[in-house]
């Protein structure tokens, strides 16, 4: 069966790294049909809207979407696109690679971040001049869903350690609910896990990342902890991510449009190629995903490398080397 992959490069280096990832996918023996969609700053300028309806529909109806980056219009593009794929989980692996400078070379973490509620639900008000409030929504349904996804992810990706992050000692009702729902899923399905207070966890991740694997988090904690882990492995440049929905998903590098280097042909395609590997895995092509990941690892360790990693190779050189390793 041919799978329909929406390809939305967007702005800046998105125009360079997304075609690179598509080239890698095309080198595999999988039947994908790629359909390109427009979004971002340039589209806003040309057509008066950053995310045309047809691009939203393309992502909503595709089997998966590969997205690059949007510049100034990022919020107008990526938030609706995540909604188009009905994303409830943000999956962010943070892994150190041999040959790449990192603070903690033993880091191999995956953050499974709840993506629909918590303090990011946007229910804020100013109840009096200078007095503001925020309503934090945590439901049993969404918490069970993210916990189940996290446990299954750990199971099918060979992670032994699963940690549920929370602050239930202070946010007794909301994080209490999050933890209670996660524990219920673990008990029903027979999964092993630990739970950890998110502040202490931040410190432990910094000091002993090797003791952790999959970390299941409420929305804000996942945002903060996964950025901390990005720092452990050497910055945002190599990190892929997935926004996973029930029927659909969108894959994107964690980095943005990098206007400072856009158009020079020197962007590192690794984060987007690794996002494509996550796409493969999500669609059930686990072996191909592993091959792509291994090829990226090989090139990161042996070169060629783009300037962000201290080399002088171009995006095209690195992509060709990845395809070669396949
Ligand atoms: P945006 O506004 O789209 O988020 P930004 O200016 O915040 O863009 P990022 O894309 O977040 O830029 O990148 C931050 C820094 O990391 C920039 O200096 C950028 O050049 C660098 N960078 C990001 N991604 C890559 C990449 N794939 N290859 C090389 N350098 C990168
Ligand atoms: Mg940025």
């Amino acid at each position: 069966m041919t799978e329909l992959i929406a390809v939305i490069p967007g702005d800046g280096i998105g125009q360079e790294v997304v075609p690179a990832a598509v080239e890698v996918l095309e080198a595999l023996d999988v039947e994908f049909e790629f359909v390109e969609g427009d979004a971002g700053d340039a589209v806003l300028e040309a057509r008066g809207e950053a995310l045309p309806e047809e691009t939203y529909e393309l992502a909503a109806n595709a089997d998966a979407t590969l997205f690059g980056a949007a510049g100034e219009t990022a919020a107008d593009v990526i938030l609706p696109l995540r909604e188009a794929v009905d994303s409830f989980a943000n999956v962010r692996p943070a892994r150190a690679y041999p040959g790449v400078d990192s603070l903690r070379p033993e880091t191999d973490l995956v953050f499974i971040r709840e993506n629909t509620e918590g303090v990011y639900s946007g229910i804020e008000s100013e109840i009096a001049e200078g007095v503001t409030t925020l309503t934090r929504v945590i439901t049993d349904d969404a918490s069970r869903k993210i916990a189940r996804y996290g446990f299954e992810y750990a199971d099918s990706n060979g992670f032994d350690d699963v940690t549920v992050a929370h602050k239930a000692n202070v946010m007794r009702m909301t994080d209490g609910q999050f933890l209670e729902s996660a524990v219920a899923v673990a008990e029903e399905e027979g999964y092993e896990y630990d739970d950890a207070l998110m502040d202490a966890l931040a410190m432990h991740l910094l000091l002993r990342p090797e003791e952790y694997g999959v970390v299941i988090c409420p929305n804000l904690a996942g945002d903060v902890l996964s950025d901390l882990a990005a720092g452990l492995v050497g910055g945002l440049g190599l990190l892929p991510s997935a926004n996973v929905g029930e029927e659909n998903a969108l894959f994107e590098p964690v980095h943005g449009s990098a206007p400072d280097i856009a158009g020079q042909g020197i962007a590192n395609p690794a984060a987007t190629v690794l996002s494509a590997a996550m796409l493969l895995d999500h669609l059930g092509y686990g072996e191909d995903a592993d091959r792509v990941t291994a090829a990226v690892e090989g090139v990161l360790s042996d070169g060629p490398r783009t300037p962000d990693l201290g080399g002088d190779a171009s995006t095209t050189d690195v992509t060709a080397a990845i395809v070669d390793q396949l």
Side-chain angles (χ1 to χ4, degrees):
M1 189 191 75
T2 304
E3 248 125 357
L4 176 69
I5 312 297
V7 177
I8 308 174
D11 296 313
I13 62 168
Q15 292 288 340
E16 301 162 52
V17 293
V18 169
V22 170
E23 198 181 317
V24 172
L25 290 173
E26 279 176 334
L28 300 166
D29 193 20
V30 291
E31 274 185 53
F32 287 165
E33 185 193 345
F34 299 99
V35 180
E36 196 160 320
D38 295 327
D41 297 358
V43 184
L44 175 66
E45 199 147 304
R47 300 166 54 175
E49 49 182 355
L51 183 67
E53 178 70 23
E54 75 221 38
T55 306
Y56 180 97
E57 289 299 326
L58 173 66
N61 295 313
D63 292 296
T65 296
L66 187 62
F67 175 71
E72 299 291 320
T73 53
D76 303 323
V77 172
I78 193 59
L79 298 181
L81 279 180
R82 286 176 187 158
E83 179 205 292
V85 303
D86 211 6
S87 156
F88 65 87
N90 182 216
V91 182
R92 281 183 59 171
R95 183 161 164 210
Y97 294 97
V100 178
D101 259 353
S102 63
L103 206 54
R104 293 279 174 214
E106 58 283 25
T107 307
D108 186 6
L109 297 164
V110 181
F111 292 86
I112 309 287
R113 167 185 167 196
E114 205 290 323
N115 217 5
T116 67
E117 50 183 36
V119 292
Y120 286 179
S121 40
I123 312 168
E124 290 191 294
S125 36
E126 181 169 34
I127 54 173
E129 171 94 22
V131 183
T132 55
T133 64
L134 162 67
T135 300
R136 183 170 196 251
V137 179
I138 300 278
T139 64
D140 179 43
D141 274 356
S143 304
R144 278 175 181 261
K145 206 161 159 181
I146 196 72
R148 181 167 286 112
Y149 185 83
F151 289 125
E152 283 170 3
Y153 184 98
D155 213 30
S156 54
N157 288 278
F159 285 93
D160 295 329
D161 299 306
V162 180
T163 306
V164 179
H166 63 88
K167 189 77 182 171
N169 58 336
V170 175
M171 294 184 278
R172 291 195 182 130
M173 287 190 111
T174 51
D175 265 9
Q177 178 65 61
F178 188 80
L179 180 58
E180 188 185 312
S181 303
V183 169
V185 171
E187 282 173 356
E188 282 162 26
E189 313 284 340
Y191 291 116
E192 304 223 350
Y193 71 96
D194 283 311
D195 71 276
L197 295 172
M198 60 175 143
D199 47 350
L201 181 60
M203 184 183 71
H204 288 136
L205 288 173
L206 186 66
L207 296 176
R208 291 188 295 277
E210 69 278 7
E211 291 179 6
Y212 296 89
V214 167
V215 185
I216 301 172
C217 313
N219 206 338
L220 171 64
D223 197 12
V224 175
L225 293 175
S226 62
D227 263 29
L228 175 125
L232 293 181
V233 300
L236 300 176
L238 293 178
L239 298 183
S241 77
N243 294 280
V244 177
E246 212 79 70
E247 307 276 331
N248 202 334
L250 177 145
F251 302 82
E252 56 175 328
V254 167
H255 64 71
S257 66
D260 53 336
I261 58 160
Q264 299 177 32
I266 54 165
N268 188 343
T272 312
V273 175
L274 291 169
S275 302
M278 293 180 81
L279 179 153
L280 286 163
D281 195 42
H282 182 80
L283 292 177
Y285 300 94
E287 272 176 37
D288 292 290
D290 291 346
R291 281 179 66 206
V292 170
T293 305
V296 172
E297 277 170 3
V299 172
L300 287 174
S301 128
D302 305 339
R305 299 199 183 91
T306 42
D308 56 304
L309 299 180
D312 59 5
S314 67
T315 309
T316 323
D317 298 334
V318 172
T319 309
I322 294 170
V323 170
D324 250 15
Q325 291 243 1
L326 286 176

